[in-house]
Amino acid sequence: MLLADRLEQALLGARRHAELVGFFCIDLDRFEVINDGLGHAAGDALLQAVALRLKTCVRECDTLARTGGDEFALVANGVENAEEAAAISSRILSSLEAPFEIAGRQLRVTASVGATLYPQDGGDGNSLQQNAAAACTNPNGGRVTDASSFRPAWSKPRGGSWIWNSGWHAPWKKAKSRCITSRACLRSA
């Protein structure tokens, strides 16, 4: 898979140059409402529109990929620190704030973003991906939908990593990976 190869290449470069690499898992909230309510063609059109907006948040040296039905991933090379990772996550969420015009309707989309940094949140691509995905999932397998539903116990504490919530714009508690969530729900106007 191209994403896995790009992540491994980024990690090799990071090891060689003592740099950080950010891995971001981006999950669209309640995407099934679009597919169930407006059909798969509308869902596909929304995914294409989301991808175009997400593309505005990345640099040419980064890799953005769709990894599943309503999931995207971002490999960000040369991230300076955890604050820059939080800024990237905030840009991702901000890019989705404006409504999308799909199938003659205005749709608002929100997302959960789990962010990890190499090397402190994982020493290889698999652990970075797993920890980023875990940052957006509660222990019962559900999605994180607001700041109050995420608990640091969901991932083992480690190093200087942080969990952020877009509504707070500040570090919350130490944990293995960061979680940035948007609070609004998917609505058609």
Side-chain angles (χ1 to χ4, degrees):
M1 174 153 121
L2 183 59
L3 177 67
D5 181 62
R6 294 280 176 91
L7 179 55
E8 288 307 314
Q9 292 301 315
L11 295 178
L12 287 172
R15 287 182 196 109
R16 187 176 22 233
H17 301 293
E19 295 178 337
L20 300 176
V21 173
F23 184 84
F24 301 82
C25 179
I26 306 154
D27 290 333
L28 300 182
D29 298 327
R30 299 185 180 109
F31 179 73
E32 66 278 357
V33 172
I34 297 297
N35 274 341
D36 293 347
L38 298 177
H40 291 281
D44 290 346
L46 178 60
L47 289 170
Q48 291 172 1
V50 165
L52 289 175
R53 286 210 195 156
L54 292 176
K55 191 175 174 184
T56 67
C57 301
V58 302
R59 304 163 297 177
E60 278 190 38
C61 64
D62 298 335
T63 300
L64 176 67
R66 181 171 167 217
T67 57
D70 63 350
E71 299 171 359
F72 294 84
L74 170 62
V75 177
N77 297 296
V79 174
E80 293 291 324
N81 51 40
E83 290 76 21
E84 184 180 0
I88 292 167
S89 297
S90 292
R91 280 196 309 271
I92 289 168
L93 292 173
S94 293
S95 75
L96 301 176
E97 287 178 353
F100 291 86
E101 183 73 34
I102 305 292
R105 298 176 186 233
Q106 284 197 348
L107 304 176
R108 295 195 179 274
V109 175
T110 61
S112 298
V113 177
T116 52
L117 284 175
Y118 167 84
Q120 60 256 42
D121 297 329
D124 59 56
N126 285 336
S127 50
L128 288 173
Q129 291 178 51
Q130 289 172 354
N131 292 336
C136 291
T137 307
N138 74 32
N140 298 321
R143 298 285 299 282
V144 174
T145 55
D146 63 44
S148 63
S149 65
F150 188 82
R151 299 291 178 261
W154 297 353
S155 59
K156 298 175 185 172
R158 179 183 181 143
S161 302
W162 296 88
I163 297 168
W164 279 283
N165 174 272
S166 63
W168 293 7
H169 302 293
W172 182 34
K173 298 215 182 213
K174 286 188 176 187
K176 190 169 193 172
S177 47
R178 285 155 290 289
C179 183
I180 297 87
T181 63
S182 55
R183 293 182 165 189
C185 60
L186 181 66
R187 304 183 280 266
S188 62

